[in-house]
Amino acid sequence: MTPSRPYIMRALYEWIVDNDCTPYLLVDAEVPGVDVPRQYVKDGQIVLNISPSAVIDLQIGNEAVNFNGRFGGVATDILVPVIAVVGIYARENGQGMVFEPEDEDEGPQPPDDTPPGPGSNQSRLERPSLKVVK
């Protein structure tokens, strides 16, 4: 299944803007692939104003968020992999969402090698078998 994070980010962005608030993106700047001005990173994170009046060509894609913004008066291309987004919220009231570091529903899950317990569906479907050991 595709990750839900970019869909939630797009919906929250639209909701924040529709309510005349300023959308901020909280980013883990230590994640590989994050391209932001390092002089604005504090404690490994950066807050980005992604309001329509602050950025050009904002794209919140399924893999990354990218746009052109101004930092210290200098136009700068920004690239943030979706997995690096810690949260999206409104500056005015803090309403929004913080994401788990790694959502369980994102990406394939490793197989569960533990045997089924007494109450699991699998244990009810499979009959036990006995083997004589000498």
Side-chain angles (χ1 to χ4, degrees), residues 65-132:
V65 177
N66 61 321
F67 60 90
N68 184 279
R70 296 186 90 60
F71 291 85
V74 178
T76 307
D77 288 326
I78 303 298
L79 177 67
V80 177
V82 168
I83 196 68
V85 175
V86 175
I88 181 170
Y89 61 95
R91 177 190 69 189
E92 291 77 5
N93 56 22
Q95 290 188 348
M97 180 177 279
V98 174
F99 299 104
E100 294 294 321
E102 290 185 41
D103 290 339
E104 289 183 21
D105 62 346
E106 291 184 2
Q109 297 296 308
D112 185 9
D113 293 334
T114 58
S120 74
N121 286 337
Q122 190 170 356
S123 66
R124 283 181 267 168
L125 298 174
E126 296 177 3
R127 299 187 55 105
S129 61
L130 297 176
K131 192 190 282 188
V132 177

Side-chain angles (χ1 to χ4, degrees), residues 7 14 23 28 39 41 72 92 101 110:
Y7 296 91
E14 185 176 329
D28 180 351
Q39 65 268 32
V41 173
E92 291 77 5

